[in-house]
Amino acid sequence: MVNAAPDIFDQQGDKYEASLGDGWETSPAFLVLSDDDGKAAHALGRAGVRFSHIDEYGRELTPEQRDVEEQAAKTWDVPYTPNFISDVYLTPRGPMVWTDTKGELTRAMGEAMLRVLLEELRAEGITARVVAPPADVPLEGVPVIPLAGSS
C-alpha cells in the first residue's frame, strides 16, 4: 500500500487567503517512510526529476512544452515551475527531497507532485507513506543520490 498524509502541505505552510487563490505558503519537502528505503529512494529520485516539469496549474510539461515555454518567457508571462529540486537525501528516517517553489505552492502543483510521487512509489511495488519531514530531520552529512541530469 502506498499513501500520503492527508495534511502533508498544511504541516509545511499556511494556506493562502481565499482572495489569493488556493494553495500554501511553502516550498514543499517529501519524506518517504517505507519497508524498502532503497527502492523508495529511487522512486523519489524519479519523481524529483518529474517535479521540475510540473507547473502551477498541475500540468506535467513535456520537454517540448518546456522549450516552447522558455522561448515564450522572453516575451510574456509563462506558467511557473519549481526553481530547484534537491537530490535525494538518505536521512535516518527515510529518503527525502525538498523543492524550491519560492515559498508559494498552488494546490494544483502540490497535488500533481504528490500524484507523481505516489505513482513512482507504486511502480516499485513497495509499502510506503509520504509525510512532511519534521523540522529536526538531519541533512548535513547524510548520503545523497543525485537526481538524473543534475551535476
Side-chain angles (χ1 to χ4, degrees):
M1 181 168 82
V2 174
N3 61 35
D7 58 352
I8 188 170
F9 301 121
D10 291 333
Q11 291 180 17
Q12 297 184 62
D14 293 330
K15 285 188 177 180
Y16 294 155
E17 293 181 29
S19 63
L20 298 176
D22 196 14
W24 298 266
E25 294 176 13
T26 189
S27 288
F30 302 89
L31 173 67
V32 180
L33 310 174
S34 174
D35 63 344
D36 188 326
D37 283 348
K39 287 184 177 182
H42 284 82
L44 189 53
R46 290 191 308 273
V49 171
R50 293 176 64 186
F51 288 172
S52 66
H53 301 289
I54 295 174
D55 72 11
E56 65 194 290
Y57 303 108
R59 300 177 301 183
E60 189 172 355
L61 303 175
T62 65
E64 295 79 22
Q65 288 171 313
R66 284 186 57 87
D67 289 343
V68 169
E69 299 280 341
E70 287 172 12
Q71 291 302 315
K74 297 175 184 171
T75 57
W76 68 80
D77 192 32
V78 295
Y80 177 75
T81 57
N83 291 2
F84 178 79
I85 309 297
S86 75
D87 291 332
V88 178
Y89 288 88
L90 303 176
T91 78
R93 296 184 183 187
M96 71 163 280
V97 297
W98 58 272
T99 69
D100 179 1
T101 60
K102 295 287 189 203
E104 302 291 330
L105 179 68
T106 65
R107 178 173 296 280
M109 181 185 274
E111 288 176 349
M113 286 179 167
L114 205 49
R115 176 189 48 76
V116 161
L117 178 51
L118 295 177
E119 182 181 295
E120 293 292 353
L121 288 165
R122 286 184 184 111
E124 289 291 339
I126 59 175
T127 298
R129 180 160 178 83
V130 181
V131 299
D136 66 348
V137 85
L139 297 182
E140 191 169 322
V142 301
V144 296
I145 298 174
L147 293 183
S150 68
S151 48

